[in-house]
Amino acid sequence: MDLNYAALLPEILLAVAGILLMLAIPVLPSRQQVRLGYAASLALAAALVTALLQWGDHGPAFFGMVSMDALGGAARILFLVSSAAVALISVSYLKRERLRHGEYFPLLLMATVGMSLMAVSADLIMTFLGLEILSISSYVLAGYRRGDPRSNESALKYFLLGAFSTAFMLYGIALLYGAAGSTKYAGIAEAATQGQAETATFLLGLGLLLVGFGFKAALAPLHVWTPDVYQGAPVPITAHLAVGSKAAVLITLLRLLHQVFPASADQWQTLLWIASAATMIIGNVAALTQTDVKRLLAYSSIAHAGYILLGVIANSPRGAQGVLFYLAAYSLMTLGAFAVVQVFARREERFTKLEDFRGIGYRHPLLSVSLTIFLLSLIGIPPTAGFYGKLFLFSAAVEADLVALVILAVLASAVGLYYYLQLIVLMFMKEAASPPEPVPVPLAARIVILLMAAGTLYLGVYPAQVLSIAGEAAGL
Amino acid sequence: METYLFYALALILVTFSILTVTARNPVRSAVYLVSALLAVAGFFFLLEAEFVGAVQVLVYVGGIMVLFLFVIMLVSIEALDRQPKVSRQWRTGVVLAVVLCLELSLLIFRGTVSLEEGLAEPGIITTTETMNTEAVGTVLYSTYLLPFEIASVLLLVAIVGAVVLAKKEI
């Protein structure tokens, strides 16, 4: 077995770019620091091209620490797209809020390296390191608005609770190593089939691992940190937490449960059944009473993680395919929604209340129409991506005899209809309270909004292509 | 011989541990803790785990204790002197200590079976012929090369993050 450096080319590229950007901070005059953001976006685009070229590569690398497969390749592409969108909406955000560009983009790039490593990892140690790189960069980025107490609160809450969950996860990994004698995915899966899956050490390890992942993916009852952290963080970072970070954790969870722990399916399916039901109910019901659009989207992202769990619990390739398609759809619509919120919030994020959206419908058609598309997709109304996402997830769950959970999911989505529609009604059918104020839409943000809206509609009209890619990644 | 060494080290460890928690002056406390940690390193050497022993000395005695001492230097010692010697929560402490002692003795005297049940054979380093430092070095730079390198990315992110959040004027 050899090193096979090429397998990790996108990650190496991003890490090197991150370090170069840091070195560029003191060299660039302060007026040109804006370029760092575009340089970071370019690095992400280059990594995306490499990842696309590597699509179809298979096999282990770095002595079996990472393993290239279709799932890892697809996940990597998803994370790179998400981070690139976050980087593009960050440039105008940092400029408007007069925050330093310097360390922001290297941290974002490193977070992407972490997500990407999680996707291709074939060893719990690598998974843990990837998750920690992602988490630590996210803690810092959540507190990047140092002058704002809410941002400090966000970073501190996320950090303290995150550190706890990390400890749980590490303890779980240690117990699994004790039970299986290996931290490699293949080694653990083999030990599980040889009877270790029944031992208390193994099950305890798996349970603690699930607690750690449950926290990071904000599954009920480990979701309590989410609204405060999402509300306080800078809007682009909220998007990063809700999309890239969440997708990375859910995909790693999917891979672990489907490939490493199928022998313990009975146990984790029961646990996740309860978590999924609680996540959908709490996410949707709590979103009903929110008055801040960032908090509303935070609860909505909790609810969506609940839907995604359906595909994980189904424990079938069709379920995994549903999860991947849903994550692609969810990423597009959520990134788009946060891009609109970022632009609309204006200086110091003054306009994030639902009331602020009153009557903007005809005044800012670009923002209101695209936000409407994203919200309709979040509800799951055709012809948008969210409709097919829910369709594939729910049908895979029905095939796996999860009828009760699917009924619950449909009811929960019906509750979701109310708060998403409420925002659309506010935008188009109410009179604005205050006189109009111009909302400048920077070019990079405009591009992101338009691309995400186009992607959402494309997946809603013609889902076959992405569905077949998701199917290949799921091993169908 | 090894048994005598074990009891000698155990005596040193217990003595200095007690001194650590009873000393009034925090600097003395810290120095006693250094001695206690050195005794723990001695245990590792006794178990022929010389790599872990050396790491114990380097990391705990060298790194973490210096950090402790720095923090102690920065807080005012006079204020600590006036505090009561025994914490008000000593009753809870006694109860917890008794429970812990019972639990440990149960494990040591009765629980050998339950401790080993469900554990796999040790995996990575099986050879006793080579020094285990050598064995650790070999796997660290071959099988575990990638985690070893990626850990440096993690540390870099942590350092940059700490500076970003703590720097005075950005």
Side-chain angles (χ1 to χ4, degrees), chain A residues 3 8 19 22 62-63 65-66 100 103 107 110 117 125-126 129 132-133 136-137 140 143-144 146 177-181 183-184 196 199 201, chain B residues 117-124 141-148 150-151 153-154 156-158 160-170:
Chain A
L3 279 173
L8 287 188
I19 292 166
M22 276 188 240
F62 287 93
F63 303 98
M65 280 293 141
V66 296
R100 264 174 67 94
E103 291 83 4
L107 284 171
M110 294 301 184
L117 284 173
I125 293 181
M126 275 318 296
L129 282 171
E132 274 308 281
I133 294 175
I136 291 184
S137 349
V140 178
Y144 207 78
R146 295 201 320 172
Y177 174 63
T183 52
K184 289 215 186 325
Q196 289 289 338
T199 62
T201 322
Chain B
E117 188 199 11
L119 288 189
E121 292 292 308
I124 303 156
Y141 285 100
S142 58
T143 319
Y144 289 92
L145 177 68
L146 184 65
F148 182 68
I150 291 301
V153 175
L154 178 60
L156 178 70
V157 168
V160 172
V163 173
V164 167
L165 290 182
K167 202 161 57 169
K168 234 182 186 156
E169 182 46 48
I170 287 208

Side-chain angles (χ1 to χ4, degrees), chain A residues 77-432:
Chain A
I77 292 167
L78 179 68
F79 303 154
L80 287 167
V81 169
S82 149
S83 287
V86 170
L88 282 176
I89 58 174
S90 296
V91 177
S92 56
Y93 181 85
L94 293 174
K95 203 168 160 188
R96 191 183 72 203
E97 304 288 328
R98 305 218 174 99
L99 293 169
R100 264 174 67 94
H101 290 69
E103 291 83 4
Y104 184 95
F105 291 104
L107 284 171
L108 186 63
L109 291 186
M110 294 301 184
T112 316
V113 171
M115 297 193 277
S116 196
L117 284 173
M118 285 167 77
V120 294
S121 157
D123 189 302
L124 281 179
I125 293 181
M126 275 318 296
T127 313
F128 178 76
L129 282 171
L131 183 61
E132 274 308 281
I133 294 175
L134 166 65
S135 303
I136 291 184
S137 349
S138 305
Y139 303 149
V140 178
L141 288 170
Y144 207 78
R145 291 159 54 86
R146 295 201 320 172
D148 182 353
R150 273 186 313 173
S151 184
N152 299 346
E153 180 201 355
S154 160
L156 197 62
K157 266 193 182 155
Y158 194 25
F159 169 66
L160 286 177
L161 294 171
F164 264 113
S165 81
T166 298
F168 275 110
M169 186 179 286
L170 202 54
Y171 196 18
I173 292 175
L175 287 176
L176 283 172
Y177 174 63
S182 168
T183 52
K184 289 215 186 325
Y185 287 1
I188 296 172
E190 200 194 322
T193 54
Q194 286 165 359
Q196 289 289 338
E198 300 301 314
T199 62
T201 322
F202 190 90
L203 286 177
L204 198 59
L206 173 58
L208 289 172
L209 204 63
L210 283 181
V211 170
F213 276 107
F215 172 85
K216 301 278 182 192
L219 306 178
L222 303 165
H223 67 285
V224 278
W225 56 277
T226 320
D228 288 345
V229 171
Y230 281 24
Q231 190 187 14
V235 187
I237 295 309
T238 314
H240 159 74
L241 292 176
V243 177
S245 177
K246 185 166 275 201
V249 175
L250 285 171
I251 287 178
T252 314
L253 187 68
L254 177 79
R255 185 198 283 280
L256 278 171
L257 293 179
H258 284 196
Q259 296 178 4
V260 185
F261 299 108
S264 319
D266 285 344
Q267 283 91 346
W268 60 253
Q269 275 176 321
T270 317
L271 260 181
L272 287 190
W273 200 101
I274 299 165
S276 166
T279 310
M280 289 185 294
I281 295 171
I282 292 175
N284 279 311
V285 172
L288 286 176
T289 56
Q290 299 309 315
T291 54
D292 185 288
V293 72
K294 277 169 97 182
R295 280 183 91 84
L296 180 88
L297 287 173
Y299 277 111
S300 128
S301 88
I302 294 176
H304 284 272
Y307 305 143
I308 290 171
L309 275 189
L310 281 176
V312 179
I313 304 168
N315 195 18
S316 63
R318 290 263 293 145
Q321 181 189 29
V323 169
L324 291 172
F325 186 88
Y326 199 88
L327 275 174
Y330 168 79
S331 303
L332 291 174
M333 55 210 189
T334 310
L335 280 171
F338 276 113
V340 172
V341 173
Q342 194 278 102
V343 171
F344 190 75
R346 280 159 281 178
R347 208 170 143 57
E348 286 171 358
E349 296 191 13
R350 281 171 300 153
F351 299 95
T352 61
K353 292 265 172 281
L354 287 183
E355 278 301 306
D356 299 329
F357 285 80
R358 180 183 274 268
I360 67 158
Y362 302 102
R363 215 174 275 157
H364 309 291
L366 169 75
L367 294 180
S368 59
V369 170
S370 45
L371 186 58
T372 307
I373 293 174
F374 301 132
L375 291 173
L376 288 177
S377 179
L378 284 165
I379 301 172
I381 288 177
T384 53
F387 169 70
Y388 280 111
K390 282 208 173 77
L391 183 69
F392 298 139
L393 261 185
F394 292 175
S395 64
V398 168
E399 273 175 36
D401 284 334
L402 294 166
V403 181
L405 202 55
V406 172
I407 292 172
L408 198 64
V410 172
L411 289 178
S413 314
V415 175
L417 190 70
Y418 173 77
Y419 58 83
Y420 292 126
L421 274 183
Q422 177 196 17
L423 188 52
I424 298 177
V425 167
L426 263 180
M427 284 195 295
F428 287 99
M429 295 170 193
K430 303 278 177 174
E431 283 301 315

Side-chain angles (χ1 to χ4, degrees), chain A residues 18-87:
Chain A
I19 292 166
L20 286 180
L21 286 187
M22 276 188 240
L23 293 177
I25 300 168
V27 184
L28 276 182
S30 57
R31 268 184 297 115
Q32 296 188 359
Q33 298 271 335
V34 187
R35 292 185 185 184
L36 292 171
Y38 294 116
S41 311
L42 265 182
L44 285 163
L48 184 61
V49 171
T50 349
L52 285 171
L53 289 176
Q54 285 184 336
W55 173 256
D57 284 5
H58 287 277
F62 287 93
F63 303 98
M65 280 293 141
V66 296
S67 175
M68 306 293 296
D69 59 3
L71 177 58
R76 206 187 226 177
I77 292 167
L78 179 68
F79 303 154
L80 287 167
V81 169
S82 149
S83 287
V86 170

Side-chain angles (χ1 to χ4, degrees), chain B:
Chain B
M1 180 61 195
E2 274 185 25
T3 322
Y4 291 123
L5 263 176
F6 172 80
Y7 281 112
L9 282 172
L11 192 68
I12 296 175
L13 177 59
V14 172
T15 316
F16 280 108
S17 301
I18 291 172
L19 283 173
T20 307
V21 291
T22 51
R24 276 204 94 88
N25 186 329
V27 178
R28 284 196 180 186
S29 239
V31 176
Y32 290 139
L33 188 58
V34 168
S35 317
L37 291 173
L38 280 173
V40 174
F43 284 129
F44 285 125
F45 283 110
L46 213 59
L47 289 167
E48 292 179 25
E50 78 276 352
F51 179 73
V52 189
V55 166
Q56 167 88 9
V57 173
L58 281 177
V59 174
Y60 281 90
V61 181
I64 294 183
M65 281 318 297
V66 170
L67 198 68
F68 275 14
L69 281 173
F70 264 117
V71 173
I72 292 170
M73 303 283 182
L74 292 177
V75 301
S76 127
I77 292 176
E78 287 77 21
L80 289 174
D81 257 349
R82 285 193 292 277
Q83 299 218 339
K85 192 161 179 175
V86 178
S87 155
R88 272 176 301 163
Q89 293 168 323
W90 66 272
R91 284 187 193 83
T92 328
V94 168
V95 172
L96 284 179
V98 168
V99 169
L100 187 66
C101 276
L102 280 176
E103 201 175 290
L104 285 177
S105 38
L106 252 176
L107 274 178
I108 290 166
F109 294 113
R110 303 279 304 279
T112 42
V113 183
S114 66
L115 267 182
E116 276 166 19
E117 188 199 11
L119 288 189
E121 292 292 308
I124 303 156
I125 301 165
T126 42
T127 168
T128 46
E129 322 256 294
T130 52
M131 301 277 283
N132 64 43
T133 312
E134 208 178 314
V136 168
T138 313
V139 288
L140 200 57
Y141 285 100
S142 58
T143 319
Y144 289 92
L145 177 68
L146 184 65
F148 182 68
E149 295 291 345
I150 291 301
S152 63
V153 175
L154 178 60
L155 292 176
L156 178 70
V157 168
I159 295 170
V160 172
V163 173
V164 167
L165 290 182
K167 202 161 57 169
K168 234 182 186 156
E169 182 46 48
I170 287 208

